[in-house]
Amino acid sequence: MEQNLFSRYGLSKEILEALTMLRYHAPTKVQEQVIPEVLDGNDIVVKSKTGSGKTAAFGVPLCEKVDWDENHPQAIVLEPTRELAVQVSNELFHIGRRKRLKVPAVFGGFPIDKQIRTVKQKSHIVVGTPGRTLDLIGREALKSDKVKYVVIDEADLMFDMGFLDDVKKVLSLLPEKRVTMLFSATIDENVEKLSQNYMKEAKDIYLESKTLTVDQIEQIAYEVENEEKFSCLMDVLVQENPKSCMIFCATRDMVNVLYRQLRKAKVRCCMLHGLVDQKERLRVIEDFREGRFYYLIATEVAARGIDFEEISHVINYDFPTSKESYVHRIGRTGRNGKSGKAISFVRQEDIKMKQSVERYTNVPIQMAEKVRFSDNDSERAEKEKEFRKRQQQKMQPKKSKGAVFQKDITRLSIGGGRKSKLRAGDIVGTICSMEGVTAEDIGIIDVRDSITYVEILNKKGKSVYEQLQEKTIKGKRRKVKMR
Ligand code: AMP
């Protein structure tokens, strides 16, 4: 088998194995520059295009550096939204999977008690939104004295007024001797200036590029009036027949309206905005990621960082009102070297902003001739048939990224938990007394009130399960089930 090129950084066997399982065979450009710096313990400010592999750029060295035996978090990653916190925690969890790292995501809008319990139970890296992270530090659920690394992701947004106070407070509560990292696709002078207050001689890593957007994204625009937007969208969808597409609107109301219109037109879609119930938001993202829907209609909330594999098209149904937003929105396609197409609807009043975007990105957005199908046009009939065919196709949900790790892992549930004073150590003790099983075969242990979940690795799940039918844990035989 070909050598994994990440091996040049002297990473541990567990991290290299996980990278190979994730099919990360060679570092991306930003990873090449960032990984050695973090391994050396240097502060950095990183500007790199969306989809360039920024998460793993800090994720790989963080997962490498944290010490599994330490019970308190050693790294904190701050993210602006809960969706991003979940996504980034998943990515780090996968990278640290073979090392059995715990990487909880913490964010507002969900009961804090559960998050307190999770963070307290040996967690290595905590990924959170600033407010909730601060709250957890304040309640001493998240002990900050062992934190050696902090990442401020989407830094330009984090240094924006809405977040700045909480971010500042979190930083002030962390040990001074630490490594601080800032990441974003769009870093301006303001971020640079602010960052100097929190970092020591940070090294700037700016991935040089003439343009701000990814070259593989074809960018076009249609001039439209408000009233023709929907019919124009239908024409575009029929013409392009996108396999997977995000459609951005300016407001929540517009998302609701467009969602209803598209459903009425029998187009399979889902929607995402700030007023969609928290749990529903995470579910929508999962469903879209797994390919259960082709089209996601969203507000700005989904424009940042969210990594959906293989989005072929981004449509700006409403043209963005800031140039940065355009860059982030269209960056949902053309990720990780793939190609993509960004289509924008531009009204008269959007023309100035379009020009401002073009100056900012240094890429022209070509005005295109509108798709014109007359109703009895046979070309439209043909295209419409293809489009409808795809809409009716039964979907084959895509496997999640973490699925590769699951095949060698068995999850067992064990009767007993915190209420009966059962501890992770009791379970480790019993399992390690079994023949042919060592602590290395035990994955994550999650002790709840009356039940405990434990992962058994390396295909030893069945054997451990069978032996647990006879053995006792903390002096008692327990009800054990394979999940
Ligand atoms: P990010 O910019 O961190 O959102 O990453 C963009 C996408 O690239 C994600 O789907 C990652 O899983 C993927 N990715 C990151 N690093 C690598 C790598 N070295 N090789 C292949 N894919 C990668």
Side-chain angles (χ1 to χ4, degrees), residues 64-75:
E64 175 66 30
K65 280 288 191 183
V66 297
D67 174 7
W68 190 87
D69 290 314
E70 171 56 60
N71 282 331
H72 298 302
Q74 298 152 67

Side-chain angles (χ1 to χ4, degrees), residues 72 168 177 184 236 262:
H72 298 302
K168 269 194 204 160
K177 198 167 167 316
S184 190
V236 166
L262 283 175

Side-chain angles (χ1 to χ4, degrees), residues 11 27 38 54 67 76-77 91 93 133 223 228 271 276 302 321 373 402 430 467 479 483:
L11 303 171
V38 185
K54 274 184 283 161
D67 174 7
I76 290 183
V77 180
E91 170 95 352
F93 178 62
T133 305
E223 199 174 330
E228 30 167 23
M271 67 168 173
V276 174
T321 49
F373 297 120
T430 299
Q467 297 189 59
K479 200 180 210 175
R483 311 304 296 183

Side-chain angles (χ1 to χ4, degrees), residues 28 30-31 34-35 46-61 88 91-92 95 151 153-156 181-187 207 304-305 328 332 335:
T28 63
V30 63
Q31 290 162 3
V34 168
I35 293 174
V46 186
K47 180 171 167 182
S48 170
K49 288 180 188 181
T50 59
S52 57
K54 274 184 283 161
T55 316
F58 60 78
V60 169
V88 168
E91 170 95 352
L92 302 197
I95 296 170
V151 175
D153 202 8
E154 305 292 335
D156 54 333
M181 295 168 245
L182 254 64
F183 283 81
S184 190
T186 46
I187 285 185
L207 274 103
R304 285 246 177 190
H328 287 287
R332 298 314 100 214
R335 298 180 74 73

